[in-house]
Amino acid sequence: MAKRSLLVLSVALATLVGIAAYLFLYLANVPGSARAAQTSSGVNLYLATVPAAAANDPHPTWVSYYVTNKQDTNWQHKTTFVVPANSLVHVTVYQYDGASGLRNPFISQASGTVGGTFTLNGKTMNAIDPANASHVFALPQLGISVPLAGVASNAKDQCPNAPCTLSQAHMTITFTIKTGAAGLYRWQCFVPCAAGYIDGFGGPMQSIGYMDGYLKVV
Amino acid sequence: MDAVSSGYQQEPHQWRLRSLSAGAKMWCGSTSGFMGAFLFAYFYLLALDPNHSWKIGKNVNPSGGLGVAIMAVFVLSGLLLWLGSRRPADEITTGVVAIVLAVVGIALQFVDYGVLGFGPYRGGYASVFYGWTAVFTLGALGGIYWMETSVAALWRARKNGFADTDEELLRVGLQSCALWWSYYVALGVLMYVVLYLV
Amino acid sequence: MTATANRVPAQSPARQRGLLGFNMLTGIILGVVGWWVFYLLGGLIQGYTNHGFSQTGQNDVQIMLGYLGGVIGFLGGLGFLNYPIQRMMGYPPNIPDHEVEEPGLGKYFRLTTDHKVVSQQYFVGIAFFFFVGGLNAMLIRTELLSPTTHVFGAQQYLTLVGVHGSMMMGMMTSGVLGPFANWLVPLMIGSRRMAFPRMESLTFWLLMAAGVVLITTVFFGGFQTGWTGYEPLANQGTAGYDAYLGFFGLVSISMTLLGLNLAVTIATMRAPGMTWSRLPIFCWSVVATAALMVLAAPMLTATLLMGISDRTLYTAFFDPGLGGSAYLWQNLFWVFGHPEVYVLAIPGFGIVLEILPVFARKPLWGYKIAVSGMLGVAIFSFFVWQHHLFVSGMNADLRPFYMLSTEIISLPTGFTFLAFMATLWRGRIRLTVPMLFCLGWAFNFLFGGISGVFNSDTPSDVTTHGSFFVMAHFHYTIMGGLLFSVMAAMYYWGPKMFGYKLNERLGKIHFWVMFLAFNSTFGPLFAVGFLGMPRRVVTYATNLTGLNDWVSVSAYVLGLSLLLFLFNMVYSWMYKRIPAEDNPWHSRSIEFQLPTPVPAQDFDEIPVFSGDPYPYGEALAPAGAEPATAGAY
Ligand code: HEM
Ligand SMILES: [Cu+2]
Ligand SMILES: [Cu+2]
């Protein structure tokens, strides 16, 4: 009897340990979130896009978004951005990746931003040459889409992988969006930028934490 | 259900024999399903021709001569095993020759891969070509294993004058193997015709 | 009949028996070693993959080789590799095809050729993976408590759905044939063993290896395709998808061999007097199922090999840019897949029709109709697969054909129901636990079948396809159908198989909780589907929150009811241990005329059969041919 109870108990215990490990090591292991900095005229969100994640990342060869700061010195690998409801969000993207081009030129236009425009290296525009597209920051549920132009292929001092610094070749894109009601909104990139995967759509393009994430409006 | 004892301690000898040949026949069925998938893939991709990429670039054609040669070697192997398995006096010799022929067939297939001049990524045809011939070759390796064990068992039993062995069982084993192998070769003929000659 | 045990004392060849011999532990150790050896070797072959290794950092060649090495090591550790080596040198098989009685638990952890031990291994092994799959289902429902993501991320959610679906479909295809047919067929036809006992064992261990392979997907990021593995998502998928390919590959091989073995056994090893027209209906269902497995499962093997070669050898079967087609996968998968869904249905028919006469105390009505119904379903199931692709942009002229062929399948299915109802008609019904589950099966499967007609009608499928309606449909057929019949079988044959009674009162509670919770879980999902909630999406419209929460709570209760069953087994079989009678149900079937537990030899002598397989309510057979326990009840 005692022996049997021991057996049952140890099997049950082993199962529980397995379940706990499954839950915490895999299932709940979701990329973290970062809160945008509050200013008098809304919040500021600083992002960076790189041709490859940091060397110690689980996927060091994947393209990725990062959260950073104005000076581009504090890189965090997070793709859930927490912003307040019903307010302006000023987004700045430091874009370090080269262009991969678009299959659907429509995506090279901006939409849904305040004024329908964005600035590229200080110049206000509403579209880029589709061949120059490197990534897109798009929030389909809110109708927002902004193309991010790529660094020229012959540019000097290109950043190979995260973290990068502003002294390296990059594009600076800024735009402002207005948030509505609280909720969880999916954002993603639409440029087939996942090099090496079929049609450029595997790996980072289908993994939250790289070319996908959430805008958490609170 | 009513059941009484038969008085037989041992199961009927027939069972073993019949299971072997029934098993071989059903295995032919499984093999057909397996190969059928590749046949389906061939005609599906041929008909659909996605991206007009059935054959990408020139010279995505294997050499018909080598195809016929491989096919001939396999057919000979199948025929020999089939005929030999029905003639106890020749079963070992024909079995060994059939095995050698199968090995030659596989070797020729590899020679073909070497001189082909196109890779599997060169369109739908190239994919089916590589996939199908590769699994056929793998299956042929399995066939060689089956032939080898059947022949080896007969050979060892014969050396001992069939003491302690069931001679009939070993023979039926070889015949079942021959049945499947010739069927497999026939499927192979279909494959070589579709891939090399059509 | 006389069937006293022939208890030969255990004389164990030491080679097979020690802790360090050929057993599961050795298998696991060698499996891990095999994984690493092949994985590291695979690491040397870089760059020649479809995915451009340097850019993706994903070496599918390495991972697939790792799985191969792991499986080879595992099987080698169990002793499966000794056999081919001996055979190639011309020696007779060194693994006996008949086991002798052996005390102790060791035999359950080894390659064994006792069909009853293999079936018990199957039972426990499948139960384990069923538990894993069920746990994932609970987590899915937890996530769906709220319309946005709140517990797991979107990817983790998809992996949960994929692992749940694949595990259940892969394991449950063998869910009846593994544990029950392996145990019953050699008894029912009097053959005392399977035609290929070593192969029988191989199918089990392959299935176990498959289950482990699937679980390892979490180490590679999971996969997002669900159990159908659709392209192009699949080929674009990260390394976790390799586990899917490996899992179903092993399952398909195991399935083919399991079906082949059973079909051959029934075809060639029926004892004297066991004519085809006396074959118990359960064996007929095994024949129909096995035919599907033998013919359809290899097609899955081939399809998966194409998937593997796309990811490792640079072929382009499913890559449209290079002349392949994603629809090729969709078609090949369902050419196999629809027969597969009947692999999950027919054994249930067999179990229910086998059990029903016992508790209605009447002969099975329409034996030949039932047989032709099952064979008919099996044959038709090869001609309907495109009903899964109605909205794929298929040739419009094909739609009516597949619509009709699918609806025609309802006819042979109806035969089973006819036999079911007519057998109950004016029977002396005893509402035992197995009987309750049979009735539950009929109720649930009916809804499954009727909703199937909604799906097969092209105009209505345009709205139901890809929604929770389809989800509800196949859970009614598989969980409400197959799983209920498996439960009936568990309560009916379980005590005979394992030697101890199951608690009847707990059984009844289990049935009612499971029946109500099942319908309360999946019934509303029909509505949820009609209201437009798609499958395999982690978020949903907020107005569906109420229904979804209801479903989730019901699902927890459903999960609890299965834990209740687990508790019943542990409690009854490990603590109470009341020996089961030889024939508790007054069944006239042969397995209940044998002592409990059934001896290793089954019968001392090959039996001779005569008469109707279901002679309930008939006059007693001539003296001497009739066991004393089974009176004309
Ligand atoms: C009268 C009998 C049946 C009919 C007419 C029928 C019809 C259909 C149709 C048309 C679909 C495709 C729906 C869609 O995707 O839009 C479907 C899906 C399905 N059916 Fe049935 N079915 C029947 C019985 C069964 C049985 C007996 C099973 C299994 C035991 C089953 C399992 C499934 C599964 C698993 C799917 C969904 C697969 C997936 O998409 O993941 N069905 N059925
Ligand atoms: Cu991108
Ligand atoms: Cu179907």
Side-chain angles (χ1 to χ4, degrees), chain C residues 593-623:
Chain C
Q593 318 314 326
L594 296 173
T596 304
V598 179
Q601 284 278 326
D602 294 352
F603 315 102
D604 289 344
E605 295 166 355
I606 299 288
V608 176
F609 292 90
S610 64
D612 181 356
Y614 304 102
Y616 300 101
E618 292 171 8
L620 274 177

Short mmCIF file of all heavy atoms in Angstrom, two decimals, chain C residues 593-623:
data_model
loop_
_atom_site.label_atom_id
_atom_site.label_comp_id
_atom_site.label_asym_id
_atom_site.label_seq_id
_atom_site.Cartn_x
_atom_site.Cartn_y
_atom_site.Cartn_z
N GLN C 593 -15.17 -15.83 -21.51
CA GLN C 593 -15.21 -17.21 -21.04
C GLN C 593 -13.84 -17.64 -20.50
O GLN C 593 -13.70 -18.72 -19.97
CB GLN C 593 -15.65 -18.17 -22.15
CG GLN C 593 -16.80 -17.68 -23.03
CD GLN C 593 -17.98 -17.09 -22.25
OE1 GLN C 593 -18.30 -17.54 -21.14
NE2 GLN C 593 -18.61 -16.06 -22.80
N LEU C 594 -12.87 -16.77 -20.63
CA LEU C 594 -11.53 -17.10 -20.14
C LEU C 594 -11.39 -16.59 -18.71
O LEU C 594 -12.10 -15.68 -18.29
CB LEU C 594 -10.47 -16.43 -21.01
CG LEU C 594 -10.43 -16.89 -22.46
CD1 LEU C 594 -9.47 -16.03 -23.25
CD2 LEU C 594 -10.00 -18.34 -22.53
N PRO C 595 -10.46 -17.17 -17.95
CA PRO C 595 -10.27 -16.67 -16.58
C PRO C 595 -9.71 -15.26 -16.59
O PRO C 595 -9.08 -14.84 -17.55
CB PRO C 595 -9.26 -17.66 -15.99
CG PRO C 595 -8.63 -18.33 -17.15
CD PRO C 595 -9.61 -18.31 -18.27
N THR C 596 -9.97 -14.55 -15.49
CA THR C 596 -9.38 -13.24 -15.30
C THR C 596 -8.28 -13.35 -14.26
O THR C 596 -8.55 -13.89 -13.19
CB THR C 596 -10.43 -12.24 -14.77
OG1 THR C 596 -11.53 -12.23 -15.68
CG2 THR C 596 -9.85 -10.86 -14.65
N PRO C 597 -7.08 -12.86 -14.48
CA PRO C 597 -6.59 -12.30 -15.73
C PRO C 597 -6.36 -13.39 -16.77
O PRO C 597 -6.08 -14.53 -16.41
CB PRO C 597 -5.28 -11.64 -15.32
CG PRO C 597 -4.84 -12.41 -14.13
CD PRO C 597 -6.07 -12.85 -13.42
N VAL C 598 -6.44 -13.01 -18.00
CA VAL C 598 -6.27 -13.97 -19.08
C VAL C 598 -4.82 -14.46 -19.08
O VAL C 598 -3.91 -13.65 -19.01
CB VAL C 598 -6.61 -13.32 -20.43
CG1 VAL C 598 -6.43 -14.30 -21.56
CG2 VAL C 598 -8.04 -12.79 -20.40
N PRO C 599 -4.62 -15.77 -19.09
CA PRO C 599 -3.23 -16.29 -19.03
C PRO C 599 -2.41 -15.91 -20.26
O PRO C 599 -2.97 -15.58 -21.31
CB PRO C 599 -3.43 -17.80 -18.96
CG PRO C 599 -4.83 -18.06 -19.34
CD PRO C 599 -5.61 -16.83 -19.07
N ALA C 600 -1.10 -15.96 -20.09
CA ALA C 600 -0.20 -15.52 -21.16
C ALA C 600 -0.46 -16.26 -22.45
O ALA C 600 -0.34 -15.72 -23.54
CB ALA C 600 1.26 -15.70 -20.74
N GLN C 601 -0.84 -17.54 -22.31
CA GLN C 601 -1.07 -18.36 -23.50
C GLN C 601 -2.44 -18.13 -24.13
O GLN C 601 -2.73 -18.68 -25.18
CB GLN C 601 -1.00 -19.83 -23.10
CG GLN C 601 0.38 -20.34 -22.87
CD GLN C 601 1.04 -20.70 -24.17
OE1 GLN C 601 0.40 -21.16 -25.09
NE2 GLN C 601 2.34 -20.45 -24.25
N ASP C 602 -3.30 -17.36 -23.48
CA ASP C 602 -4.70 -17.18 -23.87
C ASP C 602 -5.49 -18.48 -23.73
O ASP C 602 -6.25 -18.66 -22.79
CB ASP C 602 -4.86 -16.67 -25.32
CG ASP C 602 -4.32 -15.28 -25.50
OD1 ASP C 602 -3.97 -14.66 -24.48
OD2 ASP C 602 -4.24 -14.81 -26.63
N PHE C 603 -5.32 -19.37 -24.69
CA PHE C 603 -5.98 -20.67 -24.65
C PHE C 603 -4.89 -21.73 -24.62
O PHE C 603 -3.87 -21.57 -25.25
CB PHE C 603 -6.82 -20.93 -25.89
CG PHE C 603 -7.67 -19.77 -26.34
CD1 PHE C 603 -7.27 -18.98 -27.39
CD2 PHE C 603 -8.87 -19.50 -25.70
CE1 PHE C 603 -8.05 -17.91 -27.82
CE2 PHE C 603 -9.65 -18.45 -26.12
CZ PHE C 603 -9.25 -17.64 -27.17
N ASP C 604 -5.18 -22.83 -23.91
CA ASP C 604 -4.24 -23.95 -23.98
C ASP C 604 -4.22 -24.50 -25.39
O ASP C 604 -3.21 -24.93 -25.90
CB ASP C 604 -4.68 -25.08 -23.05
CG ASP C 604 -4.49 -24.68 -21.61
OD1 ASP C 604 -3.75 -23.71 -21.40
OD2 ASP C 604 -5.09 -25.32 -20.75
N GLU C 605 -5.41 -24.54 -25.95
CA GLU C 605 -5.54 -25.15 -27.26
C GLU C 605 -6.31 -24.19 -28.15
O GLU C 605 -7.12 -23.40 -27.67
CB GLU C 605 -6.33 -26.46 -27.12
CG GLU C 605 -5.58 -27.48 -26.30
CD GLU C 605 -6.48 -28.63 -25.88
OE1 GLU C 605 -7.69 -28.56 -26.16
OE2 GLU C 605 -5.95 -29.58 -25.28
N ILE C 606 -6.05 -24.32 -29.41
CA ILE C 606 -6.77 -23.47 -30.37
C ILE C 606 -8.26 -23.83 -30.30
O ILE C 606 -8.63 -24.99 -30.40
CB ILE C 606 -6.25 -23.74 -31.80
CG1 ILE C 606 -4.77 -23.40 -31.89
CG2 ILE C 606 -7.06 -22.97 -32.81
CD1 ILE C 606 -4.45 -21.95 -31.84
N PRO C 607 -9.13 -22.85 -30.09
CA PRO C 607 -10.55 -23.16 -29.98
C PRO C 607 -11.20 -23.42 -31.34
O PRO C 607 -10.65 -23.05 -32.38
CB PRO C 607 -11.13 -21.90 -29.35
CG PRO C 607 -10.20 -20.81 -29.75
CD PRO C 607 -8.84 -21.43 -29.89
N VAL C 608 -12.34 -24.05 -31.28
CA VAL C 608 -13.16 -24.23 -32.49
C VAL C 608 -14.48 -23.52 -32.26
O VAL C 608 -15.12 -23.71 -31.24
CB VAL C 608 -13.42 -25.72 -32.77
CG1 VAL C 608 -14.34 -25.87 -33.98
CG2 VAL C 608 -12.12 -26.44 -33.01
N PHE C 609 -14.87 -22.68 -33.19
CA PHE C 609 -16.07 -21.86 -32.99
C PHE C 609 -17.24 -22.46 -33.73
O PHE C 609 -17.10 -23.09 -34.77
CB PHE C 609 -15.83 -20.44 -33.52
CG PHE C 609 -14.83 -19.68 -32.71
CD1 PHE C 609 -13.48 -19.73 -33.04
CD2 PHE C 609 -15.23 -18.93 -31.62
CE1 PHE C 609 -12.55 -19.04 -32.30
CE2 PHE C 609 -14.30 -18.23 -30.88
CZ PHE C 609 -12.96 -18.28 -31.22
N SER C 610 -18.42 -22.22 -33.17
CA SER C 610 -19.63 -22.59 -33.89
C SER C 610 -20.74 -21.64 -33.47
O SER C 610 -20.70 -21.05 -32.41
CB SER C 610 -20.03 -24.03 -33.56
OG SER C 610 -20.36 -24.11 -32.19
N GLY C 611 -21.68 -21.45 -34.33
CA GLY C 611 -22.86 -20.67 -33.97
C GLY C 611 -22.67 -19.18 -34.13
O GLY C 611 -21.62 -18.66 -34.45
N ASP C 612 -23.78 -18.53 -33.84
CA ASP C 612 -23.93 -17.09 -33.95
C ASP C 612 -23.05 -16.38 -32.92
O ASP C 612 -22.97 -16.81 -31.78
CB ASP C 612 -25.43 -16.84 -33.66
CG ASP C 612 -25.82 -15.38 -33.76
OD1 ASP C 612 -24.94 -14.56 -33.97
OD2 ASP C 612 -27.01 -15.10 -33.59
N PRO C 613 -22.40 -15.27 -33.28
CA PRO C 613 -21.59 -14.58 -32.28
C PRO C 613 -22.42 -13.89 -31.19
O PRO C 613 -21.89 -13.57 -30.14
CB PRO C 613 -20.80 -13.57 -33.10
CG PRO C 613 -21.49 -13.44 -34.39
CD PRO C 613 -22.23 -14.71 -34.62
N TYR C 614 -23.68 -13.64 -31.43
CA TYR C 614 -24.47 -12.89 -30.43
C TYR C 614 -25.74 -13.64 -30.06
O TYR C 614 -26.84 -13.21 -30.35
CB TYR C 614 -24.83 -11.49 -30.96
CG TYR C 614 -23.60 -10.72 -31.36
CD1 TYR C 614 -23.24 -10.58 -32.69
CD2 TYR C 614 -22.78 -10.18 -30.37
CE1 TYR C 614 -22.08 -9.91 -33.03
CE2 TYR C 614 -21.63 -9.50 -30.72
CZ TYR C 614 -21.29 -9.37 -32.06
OH TYR C 614 -20.15 -8.72 -32.39
N PRO C 615 -25.59 -14.80 -29.40
CA PRO C 615 -26.77 -15.65 -29.19
C PRO C 615 -27.59 -15.25 -27.96
O PRO C 615 -28.06 -16.11 -27.22
CB PRO C 615 -26.15 -17.03 -29.01
CG PRO C 615 -24.83 -16.74 -28.36
CD PRO C 615 -24.39 -15.39 -28.82
N TYR C 616 -27.79 -13.96 -27.74
CA TYR C 616 -28.51 -13.58 -26.54
C TYR C 616 -29.99 -13.86 -26.72
O TYR C 616 -30.55 -13.61 -27.78
CB TYR C 616 -28.30 -12.10 -26.23
CG TYR C 616 -26.85 -11.81 -26.02
CD1 TYR C 616 -26.10 -11.24 -27.03
CD2 TYR C 616 -26.24 -12.17 -24.83
CE1 TYR C 616 -24.76 -11.01 -26.85
CE2 TYR C 616 -24.89 -11.94 -24.64
CZ TYR C 616 -24.15 -11.36 -25.65
OH TYR C 616 -22.82 -11.15 -25.47
N GLY C 617 -30.60 -14.32 -25.67
CA GLY C 617 -32.02 -14.59 -25.72
C GLY C 617 -32.36 -15.86 -26.46
O GLY C 617 -33.51 -16.24 -26.56
N GLU C 618 -31.35 -16.56 -26.96
CA GLU C 618 -31.63 -17.83 -27.63
C GLU C 618 -31.53 -18.94 -26.60
O GLU C 618 -30.99 -18.77 -25.52
CB GLU C 618 -30.62 -18.07 -28.76
CG GLU C 618 -30.79 -17.11 -29.91
CD GLU C 618 -29.66 -17.23 -30.92
OE1 GLU C 618 -28.84 -18.15 -30.78
OE2 GLU C 618 -29.59 -16.38 -31.83
N ALA C 619 -32.04 -20.09 -27.00
CA ALA C 619 -31.96 -21.23 -26.11
C ALA C 619 -30.50 -21.60 -25.89
O ALA C 619 -29.64 -21.27 -26.69
CB ALA C 619 -32.71 -22.40 -26.71
N LEU C 620 -30.23 -22.25 -24.78
CA LEU C 620 -28.87 -22.65 -24.50
C LEU C 620 -28.32 -23.56 -25.58
O LEU C 620 -29.04 -24.39 -26.12
CB LEU C 620 -28.82 -23.40 -23.17
CG LEU C 620 -28.69 -22.53 -21.93
CD1 LEU C 620 -28.73 -23.40 -20.70
CD2 LEU C 620 -27.38 -21.78 -21.99
N ALA C 621 -27.08 -23.37 -25.88
CA ALA C 621 -26.42 -24.23 -26.85
C ALA C 621 -26.26 -25.62 -26.24
O ALA C 621 -26.42 -25.79 -25.03
CB ALA C 621 -25.08 -23.65 -27.22
N PRO C 622 -25.96 -26.61 -27.05
CA PRO C 622 -25.80 -27.97 -26.52
C PRO C 622 -24.81 -28.00 -25.36
O PRO C 622 -23.85 -27.24 -25.33
CB PRO C 622 -25.25 -28.75 -27.72
CG PRO C 622 -25.57 -27.92 -28.91
CD PRO C 622 -25.77 -26.52 -28.48
N ALA C 623 -25.06 -28.85 -24.43
CA ALA C 623 -24.24 -28.95 -23.24
C ALA C 623 -22.79 -29.16 -23.63
O ALA C 623 -22.49 -29.80 -24.63
CB ALA C 623 -24.73 -30.10 -22.37
#
